[in-house]
Structures are given as structure tokens and as C-alpha cells.
Amino acid sequence: MSAPTQTLDERTLLDRVQAPAGEGREILDAATREVFGRAPVHTVADLDAAVAAARAAQPGWAALGHERRSALLHRAADAVEAQAEPLARLLSREQGKPLNGPNARFELGACATWLRTAADTPLEPEVLVDDETGHAELVYRPVGVVGAIGPWNWPLMIGIWQIAPSLRMGNTVVVKPSEHTPLSVLAMVAVLNDVLPDGVLTAVSGEREVGAGLAAHPDVDKIMFTGSTATGRKIIESSAGNLARLTLELGGNDAGIVLPDADPQAIAQDLFWGAFINTGQTCAALKRLYVHDSIHDDVVAALAEIAEATPMGRGLDEDSVLGPLQNAQQYDIVRRLVDDAKARGGRVVTGGEPAPELGELFYRTTIVTDVTDGVPLVDSEQFGPALPVIRYTDVDDAVASANRLDAGLGASVWSSDRDEARRVAARLEAGTVWINQHGGLHPMVPFGGVKGSGYGLEFGVEGLKSVAVPQVISG
């Protein structure tokens, strides 16, 4: 390891991690669809070597102790901050999210914050019994080697959510980035490894068989995965052979309920960004909105006004705050769901069509109303810039609608009466229920899903416990 030096430019950082000319797999700029880099294509043999190196490095890393590991995590955060701009530009090109707004630069800031929080969060032994009968306490030990399988929507931030607590607790980590966004993750890992000891953190960039191999690897003790519910189920099956521990943050179809006493103008901005952060490509984004009939039209109009005023464009354009869909498969899903909703009588208030003048994978920010439960745009996770707004008259019906799907990552309640909002929130089946906001995360507040949205907690003390093995010392 070596100390981080001066800030690199984007090309220098990219050249540190991409495959040599003529090798690897082409990676396209999400906005322009031009080739801008080549990702290494690692093999299962490369994965085996990475896991072996992690296994060999883990005892020494654990032996450093919490204080020394925490100091190194702070240095890692310094390194990320030093390279934040080239990392953000690389992320913007690969993922599509703009530099500004709650996007690429924001994501790099979150990476540093979560690294520092993981370093500074205390996890003290818990005294269970201390009396005339004896003494017993609960402590947490490293689990060993952690396999971190990341998504393409927030590849750096979610990567740090997996890496930072694992390292803090004395584990070593093997990272498998999404095939869609490997270069930005490889670059971030390279920056972190300017600080960390050899073998402690390794990234393996390969195709699906590498991810499957990591989930099933006999020398991996813990798997952390963020992605679709379907893939999560496969990981559960793959991990059964070695009984690897699991943290799974899976698909969501978050519902929001706007109560009749809410002020449409007061909540409109937060509603909009709850739904459209990262152009809707966020697991815990607001994906279906139930609005009381008495204020339905006012809420819809306020959302449409914001949508039409919010600039969409290429990520490296400093004026953009919404970008393209990251990949053609996701673009096709959004387009199909909106077209289907229109065919079923849904009314497009704004958007509802591609934006070809911006680029191949741009879809206009879309608000659709006059739809009901059962319409695929409501029942399926669209994961893009399209929000269905459903009218209701009875709050019990809205709660039933919110709970009817096999998804339970997040939900929200919007009201001028916080006590009433809390009463409704308590009835919703979701890992997190926000009041008058949606999707806001705090590094000390646990986050995780229920039902088909997965299990296990991340962040704060509970997040540290999830990447450790509990041990009772009694006597």
C-alpha cells in the first residue's frame, strides 16, 4: 500500500483499471452510447485467486484491531475525497447519472461519509449477566471473507455500504461489480487500495458465472447482495452449500400514501425527488403513489410542474440533474410499462415517451394517473422515470393497496398531522417507513427490507453486527 498522492484526471484513473487495448469488454457511455473504456473480464480462476488472497490476508487484518482498522478507513475516506472528481466523472459516464443534484458528486460524498461512520461507530461488548451467578458477555468477531455483489444504479455508494463495515469488523472483502458499471467500482477499489494492505480488498470484474461462483464459493463466509429479488433467490440457493451468512437488499416497489390533510405544494418537491432521484433508478425510490381524491388533482399538477422544469440531459453537462436509463434492458422495461398503462386507459399528465433528441436511452420524466392496482406499471418495479399516481377515498383501502404486493423495502406517509401519519405508518409492511419524505438514509439508522425485498440490516451498530459472528464468553 502507498499513501494517496495528487488528484488524478479521469483518463489516468481509468487507465489504472481498464483492460489493455484490444482486450476486455467494451463499456459504453450511458448518455452518448460511445465506447469510452474496456472492462477486464476476469474468470472463475481469477475469483479463486482473489478469495485465496483474501483468506490469507484476513487473520493479519483482524489482528490489527478496531483502532488501527478505523484509522485506515479514515485514510481511505481521505483517498476517496482526493479522487472524488475523477471518480464522479467516470461514474457519470458509466452509470449515466449527472454530476450535479443528488447524483454522482453526491454519491462520492456519501462514500466518504459511510467510510468514516463505519470507522467511528462503537460496538462494545454487551454484558448479559454480572451477578452472583456468574459473568457472561456478548462480543462480535470477524466472520472471515465477505463476498460483496453490487448493483449498477448506485455502484460506488452501495459498494461502500458493503465494504466499509466488513473491513471495520476485521473481514476481508472480494467485490463483484455489476457487468453494467464495472469500471467505476474498479477505480474506487484501486483508490482504496492505495491505503489498505494487500489482499484485504479485491475486485473481480466478470460475467454472471463469476458472481454465481462468489455466492457459492466454499471459502466465502458472508454474502452481501443488492439487486433483484429473482437474483437474490438464486444467491440463497447457491450459498446453501457452505451455509454462508447473507444480507440481501432486494427489489422494491415502494408505496407512498398522501393523506387528505397534506399540503400539495408543501410536499411536491420531496415527493418528486423521492420518486425520481437517479432518474427513478433507486431500489427505495417511491414507485407508486396513492393520493386522496380530495387533493389528487392538485398533487398531480404540482408534480407535473416540477417534472417539466427539471432539466434532463447528459451526465457531464453541469446543468443536468436527470439522466438516461443506464442500459437498454431497463429502458425497454420503462417504455413497455408506460405504453401498457396508456393502452389500459392511463392518462399521461407529462412525459410518457422517449426523448430521442437527448440520446438513445433517455425517457421523459413521466407522471401517469387514472390507473389502478393490477396495472403492471403499478404492480411491477419500473425502476425508471415513470410514476403512477392512484386515486383513493378510504385510507384503509390505501393501506391495503400498499401492503398487497410481495415487496417491503420502503414506504412513506404524507400528512400535516404527524401523529396520524405515524398511526398509518405503523400499519405498513416495509423495512422503513418515512413521514413527509421518501428514501432518505442516515449512516447510523439501520436499513433493510421485509417480504420479497430481502433480509438483514445495514448501517450503524446493526450493520456492524451483520458482518460479524456473535460469540458469548461466559464464566
Side-chain angles (χ1 to χ4, degrees):
M1 64 180 176
S2 60
T5 56
Q6 63 185 15
T7 301
L8 305 173
D9 60 63
E10 179 191 346
R11 172 52 58 180
T12 302
L13 186 59
L14 176 60
D15 286 344
R16 286 185 66 181
V17 298
Q18 71 172 334
E23 299 180 21
R25 181 170 56 85
E26 291 182 345
I27 299 296
L28 305 183
D29 184 304
T32 67
R33 310 307 292 161
E34 297 170 347
V35 176
F36 78 93
R38 304 187 68 87
V41 180
H42 294 132
T43 66
V44 172
D46 295 319
L47 170 66
D48 289 340
V51 173
R55 177 64 67 191
Q58 193 274 324
W61 176 245
L64 289 180
H66 285 296
E67 184 175 349
R68 179 63 179 145
R69 291 195 301 271
S70 293
L72 285 170
L73 287 181
H74 273 284
R75 288 184 57 201
D78 292 341
V80 168
E81 288 175 335
Q83 310 300 340
E85 186 62 16
L87 281 168
R89 294 181 68 83
L90 180 55
L91 171 65
S92 181
R93 297 188 71 181
E94 187 173 46
Q95 201 281 329
K97 65 183 64 183
L99 293 170
N100 293 319
N103 292 300
R105 289 174 176 140
F106 166 87
E107 184 164 348
L108 267 298
C111 289
T113 296
W114 257 265
L115 279 163
R116 296 191 195 283
T117 302
D120 294 340
T121 300
L123 181 55
E124 303 295 340
E126 180 181 348
V127 176
L128 307 173
V129 175
D130 187 21
D131 56 24
E132 67 278 2
T133 67
H135 182 90
E137 64 181 28
L138 179 65
V139 299
Y140 288 87
R141 301 171 58 84
V143 68
V145 176
V146 174
I149 304 175
W152 52 259
N153 58 332
W154 294 91
L156 303 190
M157 184 175 70
I158 292 177
I160 289 296
W161 291 354
Q162 298 170 334
I163 293 166
S166 298
L167 294 181
R168 158 62 202 284
M169 293 305 295
N171 306 295
T172 51
V173 183
V174 177
V175 174
K176 164 59 174 70
S178 166
E179 304 97 297
H180 294 295
T181 53
L183 292 173
S184 55
V185 176
L186 292 174
M188 182 182 69
V189 169
V191 168
L192 295 172
N193 278 332
D194 285 336
V195 170
L196 298 171
D198 291 343
V200 167
L201 175 64
T202 308
V204 182
S205 169
E207 305 299 331
R208 291 179 182 272
E209 64 271 15
V210 174
L214 182 58
H217 204 288
D219 283 330
V220 171
D221 305 288
K222 166 89 184 188
I223 294 292
M224 302 185 76
F225 170 73
T226 296
S228 71
T229 300
T231 302
R233 295 183 192 280
K234 293 178 182 178
I235 286 174
I236 293 171
E237 294 173 359
S238 297
S239 66
N242 64 330
L243 295 178
R245 295 165 184 263
L246 300 174
T247 295
L248 303 175
E249 195 253 270
L250 306 179
N253 195 342
D254 289 14
I257 298 176
V258 180
L259 300 183
D261 65 355
D263 179 343
Q265 290 298 325
I267 65 174
Q269 279 285 345
D270 289 332
L271 274 175
F272 179 85
W273 286 111
F276 293 105
I277 186 172
N278 197 27
T279 316
Q281 298 166 109
T282 297
C283 298
L286 175 58
K287 298 191 174 77
R288 49 195 173 112
L289 182 62
Y290 296 88
V291 182
H292 192 270
D293 179 68
S294 63
I295 58 171
H296 172 276
D297 293 351
D298 291 338
V299 169
V300 168
L303 286 171
E305 182 178 358
I306 296 170
E308 291 163 5
T310 303
M312 175 181 284
R314 296 180 180 181
L316 297 183
D317 182 342
E318 296 281 353
D319 294 329
S320 300
V321 290
L322 296 173
L325 277 303
Q326 198 281 329
N327 57 78
Q329 179 182 1
Q330 199 58 46
Y331 173 89
D332 290 341
I333 290 171
V334 173
R335 185 171 185 174
R336 172 175 53 80
L337 290 173
V338 174
D339 287 349
D340 175 82
K342 290 190 288 187
R344 295 171 185 265
R347 176 170 64 90
V348 174
V349 181
T350 189
E353 61 183 6
E357 74 280 6
L358 297 177
E360 182 180 335
L361 298 185
F362 285 86
Y363 197 91
R364 301 190 197 284
T365 311
T366 299
I367 308 290
V368 181
T369 190
D370 295 340
V371 289
T372 61
D373 290 349
V375 171
L377 181 61
V378 177
D379 284 13
S380 301
E381 184 182 22
Q382 69 275 47
F383 218 68
L387 177 66
V389 184
I390 304 100
R391 191 187 304 263
Y392 78 89
T393 56
D394 186 286
V395 70
D396 290 340
D397 292 338
V399 169
S401 289
N403 290 339
R404 59 185 280 271
L405 301 178
D406 185 31
L409 191 56
S412 56
V413 182
W414 305 76
S415 173
S416 298
D417 183 340
R418 187 167 295 272
D419 290 337
E420 178 60 20
R422 288 181 179 276
R423 284 190 285 271
V424 175
R427 301 170 60 191
L428 296 177
E429 298 169 358
T432 300
V433 183
W434 293 277
I435 294 174
N436 293 330
Q437 59 173 312
H438 196 108
L441 300 175
H442 189 288
M444 286 301 295
V445 177
F447 177 69
V450 297
K451 300 198 289 188
S453 293
Y455 48 76
L457 291 173
E458 299 177 87
F459 312 163
V461 174
E462 296 303 320
L464 296 181
K465 291 178 180 179
S466 76
V467 288
V469 177
Q471 181 183 48
V472 174
I473 299 177
S474 183

